[in-house]
Amino acid sequence: MTRVAAIDCGTNSIRLLVADADPETGELVDLDRRMVIVRLGQGVDRTGRLAPEALERTFAACREYAAVIKEYGAERLRFVATSASRDAENRDEFVRGVLDILGVEPEVISGDQEAEFSFTGATKELTGRDDLAKPFLVVDIGGGSTEFVVGDERVRAARSVDVGCVRMTERHLVHEGQVSDPPAETEIAALRADIERALDLAEETVPLREAHTLVGLAGSVTTLSAIHQDLPEYDSAAIHHSRIPYARVREITERLLDSTHAERAAIPSMHPGRVDVIGAGALVLLSIMERVDATEVVVSEHDILDGIAWSIA
């Protein structure tokens, strides 16, 4: 066993996994898995820069994670940064802050690299199952981007497009600093049109419709699973490898887009940091399912974090 620590810093959240990995058996044993919503991508789509308050929230989470990594005595650490830090003019400020706190330089990876990690993390446990037909289409709906990967034991094709729950919310549902509550039909139509253009881009590279099993990753998808199951609180064990039928995804998406901030916040399994962006994230998933004619989505709690951990094991 090798004790590893993996950090995934995205547009909306920063997550840590400390695990013991056995490359010979393919076993990854979680010791600590946690998330803090820091909204690093706050305003990046509009300004092109990481906001000072977003950087400080992220650095505070890094200090918390540094203590956890030290406590567990991880032998190796890899810090991967994704969409927001790819897009920001002042990403050097972010890199210096992380290096000072954690002693490693964050790797600002490409969308294609992000897709590879996501696919490995999501499918390593699924490849031997008889009830899931291959190839898989893995979709990782993040805050700033969505990764599409088609593959079986290995990746066949991958593409990252700039459509994520935070970016889409800020682009279409925020006016004068306030999120529409609830959004108007014209706003939803513009949001949907933007998502469809992104799917057209993804299909230029990735044969989305050739996949037989849709696997959904990240907070928007796992939150929809929790709502579908009417969980009294977020429960990773119940969510991991759950399945959501298309009809329920459509029903929940319509409900979320038609509800107020207070109504979404009252959902027991809803993380406070997702209240304003969950509607856009749900619409991304619904649009993907309609594009590929998926009857259901298989939800995975294992994603890019697990892929990062395997990359250093």
Side-chain angles (χ1 to χ4, degrees):
M1 287 283 191
T2 302
R3 184 157 294 183
V4 297
I7 295 176
D8 165 39
C9 184
T11 301
N12 196 43
S13 63
I14 181 169
R15 300 180 304 138
L16 168 70
L17 169 63
V18 181
D20 284 333
D22 187 340
E24 291 187 9
T25 64
E27 185 180 15
L28 192 69
V29 180
D30 286 16
L31 300 174
D32 198 303
R33 188 186 290 258
R34 61 180 68 193
M35 175 193 71
V36 179
I37 290 187
V38 294
R39 198 67 65 85
L40 179 62
Q42 171 192 328
V44 168
D45 191 59
R46 177 176 51 84
T47 67
R49 296 180 62 82
L50 299 168
E53 60 271 27
L55 283 169
E56 185 45 48
R57 289 194 297 267
T58 305
F59 294 155
C62 287
R63 286 188 281 271
E64 173 190 326
Y65 289 176
V68 174
I69 292 165
K70 183 178 180 181
E71 177 187 347
Y72 280 102
E75 300 166 45
R76 302 175 189 173
L77 165 63
R78 190 171 189 180
F79 187 117
V80 164
T82 53
S83 179
S85 43
R86 275 200 300 269
D87 301 338
E89 295 171 5
N90 60 333
R91 69 182 188 183
D92 287 349
E93 186 179 347
F94 165 71
V95 170
R96 285 194 305 271
V98 171
L99 183 59
D100 286 346
I101 296 166
L102 288 162
V104 295
E105 188 169 311
E107 300 172 54
V108 182
I109 61 172
S110 69
D112 287 344
Q113 288 174 296
E114 188 174 350
E116 292 260 4
F117 284 143
S118 294
F119 186 82
T120 301
T123 64
K124 203 165 183 70
E125 298 172 312
L126 301 178
T127 51
R129 287 180 53 167
D130 296 331
D131 60 328
L132 299 176
K134 299 173 189 172
F136 300 116
L137 168 59
V138 174
V139 293
D140 186 343
I141 303 172
S145 63
T146 294
E147 283 63 54
F148 296 84
V149 197
V150 166
D152 29 57
E153 278 74 20
R154 60 181 57 191
V155 172
R156 292 188 192 175
R159 181 74 181 264
S160 176
V161 293
D162 285 340
V163 51
C165 60
V166 175
R167 190 188 299 270
M168 291 296 96
T169 300
E170 291 187 350
R171 187 178 291 177
H172 297 289
L173 307 182
V174 174
H175 302 282
E176 298 181 355
Q178 298 295 317
V179 179
S180 298
D181 192 30
E185 288 186 14
T186 53
E187 294 172 320
I188 295 172
L191 174 59
R192 182 64 178 255
D194 209 353
I195 294 168
E196 293 296 336
R197 284 190 292 270
L199 291 177
D200 291 340
L201 281 176
E203 277 203 292
E204 291 177 4
T205 309
V206 181
L208 302 179
R209 301 169 206 248
E210 291 182 12
H212 296 303
T213 298
L214 175 65
V215 183
L217 316 183
S220 292
V221 181
T222 57
T223 300
L224 258 66
S225 174
I227 296 170
H228 165 59
Q229 298 181 67
D230 199 23
L231 298 178
E233 59 186 12
Y234 193 92
D235 182 345
S236 292
I239 290 166
H240 189 47
H241 292 170
S242 62
R243 303 184 186 199
I244 320 174
Y246 163 75
R248 282 290 285 156
V249 172
R250 183 182 63 193
E251 177 188 329
I252 294 167
T253 300
E254 291 172 352
R255 169 186 159 195
L256 291 169
L257 288 171
D258 195 41
S259 61
T260 64
H261 177 98
E263 288 167 340
R264 294 190 301 276
I267 296 171
S269 56
M270 181 73 67
H271 190 290
R274 297 203 187 280
V275 174
D276 286 335
V277 299
I278 186 61
L283 188 58
V284 172
L285 176 62
L286 179 65
S287 302
I288 293 168
M289 294 185 76
E290 292 177 348
R291 176 67 65 105
V292 304
D293 198 25
T295 58
E296 67 175 9
V297 58
V298 178
V299 181
S300 178
E301 281 275 6
H302 292 180
D303 50 29
I304 186 173
L305 260 183
D306 303 76
I308 297 165
W310 278 116
S311 75
I312 55 175

